[in-house]
Amino acid sequence: MKQKKPWWKQPGIQIAAVLVVLIVIGGIVGGIFLTQTPPEQPIAFPHDRHVGMGASCLYCHPGATLGPSAGLPGIEKCWGCHQQVQKQSPELTILAGFVERNEAIPWVPVAIQPEFVHFKHSPHLNAGLECSTCHGDLTKMTVAEPQKGQNMGWCLQCHKNTAPEQWTKLSDCATCHY
Amino acid sequence: MAEVSIAEKWGLVVDQDRCTGCNACVVACSMENNVPFTGEDNVAFGRGTYWIYNKRMWEGEYPRVAPAFQPVMCQQCGSAPCEPVCPTFAAVHSEEEQINLQVYIRCIGTRYCANNCPYHARQFNFQDPDIPEPMNSYLNPDVTVRSKGVMEKCTFCVQRIVGGRQTASAEDRPLRDGEVTPACVAACPSGALVFGDLSDPNSRVSQMAQNERQYKLMDELGTKPKVTYLKGGGRNGG
Amino acid sequence: MSDKITRRDFLKIAGAGAAVSAVLTGCGPMSRYIVRRPYTEMPEYNQTGLNTYYASTCRECAAGCGIIVRTKEGRAITIEGNPQHPLNRGRLCARGITAQQGLYNPDRVIGPIFQARGAAGRQAKTTWDETIPLVSDALKSPADQVAFLMGTAPDHLYDLVNELTTAIGAPAPLRYSALASFEGRTTLQEAANRTFGKPALPYFDLANAEVVFSFGANFLETWLSPVSYSAAYGDMRQARPTRRGYLVAFEPRQSLTGGNADEWIPIKPGSEGLVALALARLVAEARGEAPSAAARSVDPTAVAEAAGIEPAKLAELARLFASSEHSLAIPGGGAIGQHQGLAIAQAILQLNVVVNNLGMIGGVFLTTSEQPATTLTEVSNLVQKMNNSQVKVLFIHGTNPVFELPKVLGFAEALAKVPLVISFATFPDETAMFSDYILPDHSPLESFGYQRLLAAADRPVYSSIQPVVAPLYDTRATADVLLAAAAAAGKPLPYTDEVDFVQQKIVPLISAGGFYSAPEIQTFWSRWLQYGGWWVTEQGLDADISAASGSIAAFNDPAALEEDKQFYLVVYPTQLGDGAGANRPWLQEMPDPMTTLTWNTWVEINPETADKLGIHDDDVVRVTTPFGAVEASVYRYPAIRPDTIAIPFGQGHTALGRWAEGRGANPAALLPAAVNEAGDLAFSDVTASIALTGKRRPLARVENRGGVYGEH
């Protein structure tokens, strides 16, 4: 009688195991790739140049002090300056196109939270945080880049370090998850 | 066992003498908190989702028969039976707000918490919400839309509490009494629901909770509920 | 040896792998690519993520509660009451709270439609450019052959159509809503005219009353203005430190109001007038005054017997009513929607005269409200004209007569004889399906306008309506359509559009002494929109009322029944209102307060009677009246007279979208076309018989948290 192979030597199981490993690895690699590379933007906006010239972040993202969302500038905001200054560049031609068609610029948000996290900008700015604490040094980026390792542990670490006296409130699940 | 002292924060008072049982609170809660409607079959299977429901109990025999209405929502127990049984720590206690939380992303749907809740306050999503376009436009972005397999329950409209807290802090002032109202309290046509801070002895809710008609639902279980009921004047056991 | 791993297992493993990658990739970055539609021109006051609030007026029923709509990025999110509004003071009922489910309903009419009536595959889209000339031609038809049939809301459109019909010489527009019928508004107004000498809707100061007798008035759920009366009810119970108000309800079927009453007196339908007169006599005698002639004509003991109360109980209640400082008697729709309804309403109002609470705290006042709705008599006359082919063009807005009117009136058949029917419905309701054109109006949350006939406001109020979101579809304000058409027809009205019309109408308010004023209309207009309307600061109603010598007709005894074969039939409205609420899924899912039933129609029957007849819960029965029959499941309802059955109104739609269609039964089939002396529908003195069908259909009850479908 042919001896029965142990279960881990059966080809079906082995194939399945290899597939699972491949899928998991693929998922991880894909996930890391997608979360850690800047998405393609309709206009390759040069943050470095604007910030370098001394433009305030809040000029284009004024919602940060007011409420949850910092907001992305619309054509009005961009064109407010650029119909006066520096009209010659390929990116500005794209902008001019949006303005001409009166279309919204389909910016792709970079720093976003999953839907079960209710992040709000205003309390953080009111607490005196700098934009660069979470968004990185924008003087060194053209398009905005996602920052590495921004998970819940990172949030809590910062909460613990910056305001240990408010730890009860800042570690409360209800502060971000509802 | 020594009495554990329970910190007080948010509390709700339900005046059953004012309550008419009209169910406006049920609908207001559902619209605020993205509670999905489930359809006739699901309701008949006992799978309707109501974060707050009106318990209607017939008392007496014809012709001296009358319903007693008791709106029941999560009692936000100080010593909550749902919390210790959750294997994934999805049902947790908020130290800051002194309410029970359900962290949807942790929930794996064991339903142990619902089994352990004496108030039937916890609701399970037996299916994904079926809200066709464009009706999903009214969904409240301040509240997560729960998917199938997740437990949910009344949160005292924690999104409004946190929002109110952050607004007050931005304006550098304490929260005013009555500034934060959950959707049910805001809607209640007869003014039967009062919400506020129990740690402030001068708040309206603290004052009302001292009323001689007060009682807590199944207080004998030691759950330390944050919801206080006021007995009805004529009926409802008054 | 690969037989150990089946295809199913493989799929499971692959699925798990896919789920893992979905978890890793899906939560964060992918939601980045959800289509976002930012404003190209962001309004200055609007900020992503922050709320923008608009004050407007609820149009789900005619009460006119002020609402505050919270919007985000141009979407209406939640609706709450307007805390400053004198009618509802920040409160709101289930109907108002779910109004977004009408706005964002997937079954709305999304543009003008032409439909060949009765033909298959009959709908075709059309354009506004094609339809305006059509409406204008229709307005040019012989004036007496043009008819307008409108709902009880909104008031501004009614005012506009009134001017339009005057300009073209057509008959004045009719207003009909089943809810107005069930409320008995016209009867109430006429009874006030005969009792107090002024044709105005009475206002009952419930909040300050100490002993309240309600005769079939379900003011906590549907009657006149449920939110403001609910608020007053709460105050009546608990706002006074000294005395808790006492409520007694006289009605054969315990409504929500009856359920909340301290005493529910299940009197025989048809005996309300007699009971009121007997009470008037006993109360007057207890106060040591001479009873009126009408009151003297009844014998309290005999009345108690005929109504099914113990005479001692009646005397006890009379003593209670007589001895209290603030007593109040309210005549409601269930009592006055009968053949003798007007006399019944007079008899009940007479009770207030006896205790002399007219114009007093906790008593009766008169509102400034005008004719709230036309009577069923006038609607019947219209149907008659339609049948006689005397109506060439019928315009319908804000009402659904095919569904709402008693079937025996034959509105649907008469509609077929009208050559041109133009509906302005937002939803493809039963009447719209029967019309030639549907020219959809904006939904109420996309419209301008006002409500001014607030039946339960304690002061003069104009409540403003403004759009809270941009119109979603290719709809157009009916006022604008009519103004454009009237101009094209050579009968221009002096208004450029709807907003201009509303502004011109509110110009007199600038100097009318409200809580704000302005130097000119534009400033006034911005405040009008900001506050949600205009009203005076001080509470003030016509307190100058006195009893007129209106005589009351003699009452017949209640109709006799063949025991256990015939039953009194009570048809009552629910949270679905006149039936238009049936396409709001949360109104369907909301348990009926008394029965906890959802999503269906039921027949309420006393358990004792049900046992005698061998009827169990959920048995489907056939209810038959001389006018028609419906089938529905039984709910054994402990709080109803053994000789009475009850059916809720509002379900049984054959159109109106996915959540309403094919659900339950429409008791309009059971109702007569008979009217009372004031011309209101006499719906509550109908007798019916019931028969088991042998079928069984479980009703979705919330009272049973384990479900009603058994093991599953």
Side-chain angles (χ1 to χ4, degrees):
Chain A
M1 198 180 103
K2 202 172 153 190
Q3 201 180 353
K4 199 166 189 266
K5 281 188 197 170
W7 65 270
W8 65 84
K9 283 194 178 162
Q10 292 185 10
I13 300 286
Q14 286 180 335
I15 290 168
V18 168
L19 272 174
V20 167
V21 169
L22 280 178
I23 290 169
V24 167
I25 290 174
I28 292 170
V29 170
I32 290 173
F33 177 76
L34 280 171
T35 47
Q36 304 302 326
T37 48
E40 196 167 325
Q41 299 284 0
I43 300 173
F45 179 83
H47 277 93
D48 49 357
R49 201 166 309 158
H50 289 80
V51 179
M53 279 188 299
S56 158
C57 306
L58 290 174
Y59 184 74
C60 299
H61 306 289
T65 50
L66 302 171
S69 168
L72 297 167
I75 49 173
E76 295 271 289
K77 184 82 79 177
C78 301
W79 207 237
C81 296
H82 279 289
Q83 60 178 340
Q84 314 285 346
V85 294
Q86 184 39 297
K87 294 185 218 172
Q88 316 303 329
S89 100
E91 299 300 329
L92 282 168
T93 322
I94 307 176
L95 173 66
F98 283 116
V99 174
E100 210 161 282
R101 297 189 298 276
N102 192 27
E103 252 176 38
I105 308 168
W107 298 115
V108 182
V110 175
I112 60 167
Q113 297 295 336
E115 58 183 18
F116 51 87
V117 181
H118 292 272
F119 174 81
K120 290 180 186 163
H121 273 95
S122 54
H124 292 86
L125 265 74
N126 290 336
L129 254 66
E130 293 294 327
C131 303
S132 56
T133 314
C134 308
H135 293 285
D137 187 358
L138 267 299
T139 58
K140 301 204 172 74
M141 298 177 206
T142 49
V143 294
E145 293 164 15
Q147 300 301 296
K148 290 186 178 58
Q150 289 193 339
N151 49 28
M152 195 168 111
W154 176 81
C155 294
L156 285 170
Q157 195 62 45
C158 187
H159 279 183
K160 197 174 207 167
N161 293 342
T162 46
E165 72 284 357
Q166 298 194 49
W167 175 242
T168 317
K169 180 166 86 184
L170 294 180
S171 65
D172 200 287
C173 302
T175 301
C176 310
H177 301 287
Y178 39 81
Chain B
M1 197 176 98
E3 272 292 295
V4 187
S5 77
I6 300 293
E8 296 288 10
K9 186 76 198 258
W10 300 109
L12 183 67
V13 167
V14 182
D15 188 340
Q16 286 181 278
D17 202 24
R18 278 177 180 262
C19 176
T20 67
C22 73
N23 281 349
C25 50
V26 177
V27 175
C29 168
S30 307
M31 301 302 279
E32 165 75 19
N33 290 303
N34 302 337
V35 180
F37 45 88
T38 57
E40 183 174 17
D41 278 354
N42 277 298
V43 174
F45 275 128
R47 294 173 173 183
T49 316
Y50 305 98
W51 283 15
I52 175 171
Y53 64 94
N54 226 322
K55 228 198 256 176
R56 184 231 47 201
M57 293 155 287
W58 288 115
E59 286 174 354
E61 292 291 324
Y62 179 89
R64 299 195 66 81
V65 60
F69 290 111
Q70 187 174 46
V72 182
M73 69 302 290
C74 173
Q75 308 283 305
Q76 313 292 357
C77 306
S79 172
C82 54
E83 287 166 2
V85 295
C86 180
T88 60
F89 297 97
V92 289
H93 203 76
S94 164
E95 292 303 325
E96 175 69 14
E97 312 296 353
Q98 290 300 329
I99 56 176
N100 312 118
L101 300 174
Q102 181 70 11
V103 183
Y104 306 125
I105 193 69
R106 284 180 180 170
C107 178
I108 56 169
T110 64
R111 296 197 261 157
Y112 293 166
C113 54
N115 262 344
N116 233 26
C117 174
Y119 305 106
H120 289 277
R122 291 183 159 260
Q123 312 288 323
F124 188 67
N125 281 285
F126 284 90
Q127 55 187 11
D128 282 321
D130 178 22
I131 307 181
E133 292 261 1
M135 201 177 254
N136 51 10
S137 298
Y138 76 71
L139 290 176
N140 187 352
D142 294 341
V143 180
T144 310
V145 177
R146 283 80 58 189
S147 55
K148 178 178 170 177
V150 172
M151 206 46 141
E152 58 185 60
K153 66 163 193 78
C154 160
T155 62
F156 269 0
C157 284
V158 67
Q159 68 279 9
R160 295 189 181 201
I161 296 178
V162 174
R165 188 179 79 196
Q166 287 170 348
T167 308
S169 132
E171 293 168 10
D172 206 14
R173 59 170 173 84
L175 261 179
R176 287 186 293 265
D177 188 25
E179 188 174 342
V180 174
T181 49
C184 54
V185 178
C188 182
S190 57
L193 303 173
V194 177
F195 181 79
D197 189 347
L198 287 172
S199 65
D200 170 10
N202 297 318
S203 68
R204 192 160 162 243
V205 72
S206 297
Q207 301 282 326
M208 284 192 73
Q210 307 292 322
N211 193 302
E212 57 185 4
R213 296 185 285 132
Q214 68 91 18
Y215 72 102
K216 303 230 166 132
L217 205 53
M218 293 188 231
D219 201 18
E220 65 277 12
L221 299 178
T223 50
K224 312 269 184 233
K226 291 285 196 295
V227 181
T228 307
Y229 289 85
L230 307 185
K231 279 177 197 163
R235 306 166 297 107
N236 298 347
Chain C
M1 289 290 286
S2 63
D3 58 332
K4 283 284 181 296
I5 173 161
T6 62
R7 183 175 164 275
R8 198 179 167 82
D9 292 335
F10 176 77
L11 286 176
K12 271 185 191 164
I13 296 163
V20 168
S21 46
V23 165
L24 284 169
T25 59
C27 297
M30 281 308 175
S31 61
R32 217 173 244 157
Y33 297 98
I34 288 171
V35 181
R36 288 173 168 79
R37 294 197 186 83
Y39 287 107
T40 45
E41 290 170 54
M42 176 79 88
E44 217 174 302
Y45 52 83
N46 212 332
Q47 178 66 49
T48 317
L50 289 185
N51 303 319
T52 308
Y53 297 89
Y54 292 94
S56 187
T57 301
C58 178
R59 265 177 52 186
E60 301 298 304
C61 80
C65 296
I67 55 173
I68 300 276
V69 185
R70 179 160 74 100
T71 69
K72 266 190 173 170
E73 288 98 56
R75 295 179 292 127
I77 306 289
T78 47
I79 303 179
E80 290 186 355
N82 179 353
Q84 300 197 336
H85 199 279
L87 185 71
N88 57 321
R89 297 172 200 286
R91 314 293 183 186
L92 208 55
C93 79
R95 262 177 288 166
I97 290 164
T98 52
Q100 312 98 302
Q101 297 200 322
L103 168 67
Y104 291 122
N105 200 300
D107 300 318
R108 274 180 62 179
V109 183
I110 61 171
I113 290 176
F114 165 73
Q115 45 187 16
R117 274 191 279 174
R122 51 204 200 127
Q123 285 199 340
K125 284 198 173 111
T126 173
T127 64
W128 289 105
D129 288 343
E130 287 171 50
T131 48
I132 301 278
L134 174 113
V135 177
S136 136
D137 284 346
L139 289 176
K140 280 191 253 178
S141 340
D144 59 333
Q145 298 184 352
V146 178
F148 282 89
L149 184 55
M150 310 182 67
T152 43
D155 287 334
H156 78 288
L157 189 63
Y158 175 71
D159 291 349
L160 178 78
V161 172
N162 237 333
E163 291 188 22
L164 177 65
T165 49
T166 314
I168 63 173
L174 301 185
R175 304 185 93 177
Y176 184 81
S177 151
L179 205 51
S181 263
F182 287 125
E183 288 167 345
R185 284 188 176 219
T186 320
T187 315
L188 198 56
Q189 191 172 334
E190 181 55 28
N193 187 22
R194 297 202 182 177
T195 314
F196 310 123
K198 287 179 193 168
L201 268 181
Y203 167 83
F204 301 97
D205 188 9
L206 182 66
N208 294 308
E210 283 177 0
V211 173
V212 181
F213 284 5
S214 156
F215 292 81
N218 189 9
F219 52 79
L220 294 181
E221 209 178 1
T222 52
W223 191 68
L224 287 187
S225 192
V227 179
S228 74
Y229 276 117
S230 292
Y233 167 83
D235 288 349
M236 176 199 82
R237 290 296 203 197
Q238 285 296 332
R240 273 174 309 217
T242 46
R243 181 157 183 191
R244 177 179 179 272
Y246 198 81
L247 174 62
V248 182
F250 298 83
E251 52 194 12
R253 179 245 170 206
Q254 194 177 77
S255 67
L256 184 63
T257 310
N260 281 290
D262 299 277
E263 289 189 60
W264 167 60
I265 312 292
I267 57 174
K268 204 176 266 188
S271 67
E272 289 89 348
L274 286 168
V275 170
L277 280 187
L279 280 170
R281 174 170 181 172
L282 293 169
V283 168
E285 283 167 358
R287 287 167 63 94
E289 293 160 13
S292 67
R296 270 199 308 278
S297 69
V298 295
D299 170 22
T301 317
V303 166
E305 207 151 289
I309 330 171
E310 281 174 29
K313 182 86 226 168
L314 195 67
E316 182 197 323
L317 289 171
R319 275 196 302 278
L320 179 72
F321 198 76
S323 61
S324 163
E325 264 181 62
H326 304 290
S327 301
L328 182 65
I330 307 180
I336 65 186
Q338 309 189 15
H339 279 98
Q340 294 190 301
L342 180 59
I344 292 173
Q346 279 179 269
I348 297 165
L349 285 179
Q350 198 66 39
L351 270 173
N352 294 305
V353 176
V354 174
V355 292
N356 192 26
N357 66 12
L358 314 181
M360 314 279 269
I361 283 179
V364 179
F365 296 81
L366 292 180
T367 64
T368 48
S369 232
E370 296 158 40
Q371 177 83 351
T374 40
T375 58
L376 189 72
T377 314
E378 286 171 86
V379 178
S380 303
N381 292 343
L382 175 67
V383 173
Q384 191 72 40
K385 274 177 73 179
M386 285 155 67
N387 273 327
N388 296 345
S389 301
Q390 289 167 324
V391 177
K392 290 280 178 282
V393 187
L394 179 63
F395 294 96
I396 300 178
H397 181 279
T399 185
N400 183 6
V402 173
F403 176 84
E404 292 174 38
L405 284 169
K407 291 282 169 290
V408 65
L409 201 61
F411 189 87
E413 295 75 22
L415 202 59
K417 296 191 181 139
V418 179
L420 180 61
V421 180
I422 296 176
S423 166
F424 297 107
T426 5
F427 285 100
D429 59 32
E430 285 83 352
T431 313
M433 299 317 279
F434 266 103
S435 54
D436 300 287
Y437 286 88
I438 310 177
L439 310 181
D441 193 359
H442 297 318
S443 113
L445 292 175
E446 304 162 334
S447 310
F448 280 103
Y450 58 72
Q451 285 289 98
R452 62 188 167 79
L453 307 178
L454 309 188
D458 58 2
R459 64 196 75 190
V461 178
Y462 271 64
S463 197
S464 68
I465 304 172
Q466 68 169 317
V468 303
V469 297
L472 298 177
Y473 303 116
D474 184 21
T475 53
R476 193 170 285 192
T478 302
D480 286 344
V481 173
L482 291 176
L483 283 172
K491 305 266 185 192
L493 294 173
Y495 314 105
T496 50
D497 58 13
E498 186 177 38
V499 172
D500 184 40
F501 172 77
V502 176
Q503 287 186 349
Q504 289 197 33
K505 287 289 134 188
I506 63 171
V507 161
L509 299 179
I510 295 180
S511 55
F515 73 101
Y516 61 88
S517 185
E520 32 67 50
I521 182 66
Q522 287 309 328
T523 314
F524 189 80
W525 175 250
S526 64
R527 294 195 178 146
W528 157 269
L529 295 181
Q530 180 190 349
Y531 292 118
W534 171 95
W535 47 86
V536 294
T537 327
E538 292 293 313
Q539 170 181 343
L541 279 180
D542 191 357
D544 175 30
I545 54 175
S546 52
S549 59
S551 64
I552 302 175
F555 292 108
N556 304 327
D557 277 338
L561 294 178
E562 212 179 320
E563 199 179 341
D564 296 337
K565 295 243 168 58
Q566 277 185 308
F567 297 89
Y568 298 113
L569 174 69
V570 173
V571 177
Y572 63 95
T574 63
Q575 72 260 25
L576 303 180
D578 52 17
N583 62 2
R584 318 282 203 262
W586 254 112
L587 283 187
Q588 291 272 13
E589 181 112 343
M590 180 188 119
D592 172 70
M594 296 298 279
T595 59
T596 76
L597 290 167
T598 58
W599 291 96
N600 219 314
T601 305
W602 58 92
V603 179
E604 288 166 16
I605 182 164
N606 189 300
E608 206 180 296
T609 317
D611 283 342
K612 269 200 256 174
L613 300 175
I615 298 176
H616 304 99
D617 259 339
D618 300 331
D619 281 346
V620 176
V621 293
R622 189 174 173 79
V623 177
T624 314
T625 68
F627 316 102
V630 298
E631 287 185 9
S633 296
V634 160
Y635 179 79
R636 290 158 59 113
Y637 188 67
I640 189 168
R641 283 178 64 86
D643 58 1
T644 305
I645 57 173
I647 304 181
F649 187 85
Q651 304 273 21
H653 283 277
T654 53
L656 202 62
R658 64 194 75 181
W659 288 294
E661 266 172 60
R663 192 174 286 293
N666 184 3
L670 301 176
L671 297 177
V675 294
N676 64 17
E677 309 95 308
D680 262 342
L681 175 65
F683 64 95
S684 63
D685 46 9
V686 180
T687 52
S689 61
I690 62 174
L692 277 166
T693 59
K695 287 179 282 188
R696 199 167 172 278
R697 193 183 181 292
L699 292 163
R701 296 190 290 267
V702 179
E703 66 190 348
N704 190 345
R705 298 291 289 168
V708 294
Y709 280 178
E711 291 292 315
H712 56 269

